[in-house]
């Protein structure tokens, strides 16, 4: 199981996730100052793990389980409306004995969320594709042809 990295790795540890990017309301993304300041406080290389997939597939829950072994941390939705908007980071770096660098977990808004365009989804995917050491695709069921085609389109546009 992971443990929290020493405080010397970042000047600030947050008890909750921080939003790094949010929708600008015009089909694009913009940085969130508090999240960017926290990222700038990290003084060591990190291993970035991100989870992508369609909305309501359990991305946030999966990352919560990875981080603490329980479902607290990233917000979880209980309605048909998506909960995660933009890109969020776990507020603390995690360490595993098997990895050389501490781990930064990123949670992202689900693809195909109501009101979002394919272009917006492509921008989200592109950013995570560039930033991530490991990029996982999460699905609540067996990945079908439609999901493969959607992922292929996102990869091509990235």
């Amino acid at each position: 199981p992971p443990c929290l990295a020493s405080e010397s790795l970042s000047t600030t540890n947050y008890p909750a996730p921080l939003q790094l990017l949010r929708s600008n309301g015009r089909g694009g993304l913009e940085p969130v100052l508090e999240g960017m300041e926290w990222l700038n406080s990290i003084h060591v290389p990190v291993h970035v793990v991100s989870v992508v997939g369609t909305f309501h597939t359990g991305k946030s829950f999966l990352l919560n389980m990875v981080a603490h072994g329980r479902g607290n941390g990233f917000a979880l939705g209980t309605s048909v409306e998506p909960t995660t908007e933009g890109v969020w980071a776990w507020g603390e770096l995690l360490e595993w004995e098997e990895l050389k660098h501490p781990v930064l977990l990123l949670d992202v808004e689900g693809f195909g969320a109501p009101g979002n365009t394919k272009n917006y989804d492509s921008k989200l995917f592109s950013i995570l594709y560039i930033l991530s050491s490991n990029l996982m695709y999460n699905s609540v069921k067996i990945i079908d042809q439609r999901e493969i085609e959607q992922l292929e389109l996102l990869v091509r546009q990235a």
Side-chain angles (χ1 to χ4, degrees):
C3 63
L4 297 178
S6 67
E7 290 193 26
S8 64
L9 301 178
S10 170
T11 58
T12 308
N13 282 330
Y14 280 79
L18 293 108
Q19 190 172 29
L20 303 179
L21 298 170
R22 65 178 166 228
S23 170
N24 65 8
R26 299 180 308 278
L29 294 158
E30 63 185 17
V32 176
L33 182 59
E34 183 181 27
M36 293 297 114
E37 288 174 347
W38 180 78
L39 279 180
N40 285 330
S41 77
I42 298 171
H43 305 293
V44 296
V46 294
H47 188 93
V48 179
V49 175
S50 304
V51 178
V52 299
T54 57
F55 75 101
H56 283 304
T57 56
K59 296 173 298 300
S60 301
F61 178 79
L62 176 62
L63 286 169
N64 286 340
M65 298 302 287
V66 167
H68 280 296
R70 60 184 189 275
N72 296 325
F74 290 115
L76 302 177
T78 58
S79 72
V80 295
E81 294 299 317
T83 303
T84 306
E85 294 181 3
V87 178
W88 290 73
W90 192 262
E92 299 171 288
L93 299 177
L94 304 171
E95 288 191 84
W96 274 269
E97 291 179 17
E98 301 82 8
L99 296 176
K100 181 178 178 181
H101 301 295
V103 175
L104 172 62
L105 300 177
L106 297 182
D107 190 19
V108 65
E109 184 172 354
F111 303 136
N116 289 351
T117 65
K118 289 183 180 183
N119 187 40
Y120 180 81
D121 290 347
S122 295
K123 290 174 185 176
L124 277 173
F125 181 80
S126 297
I127 290 168
L128 291 180
Y129 182 78
I130 292 167
L131 293 177
S132 299
S133 308
N134 288 88
L135 181 65
M136 296 184 282
Y137 184 82
N138 192 45
S139 178
V140 295
K141 57 185 178 1
I142 296 173
I143 297 174
D144 59 21
Q145 186 64 35
R146 184 189 62 76
E147 288 181 297
I148 291 172
E149 289 169 0
Q150 177 188 21
L151 190 55
E152 179 184 17
L153 178 63
L154 291 169
V155 169
R156 287 179 188 264
Q157 291 176 340

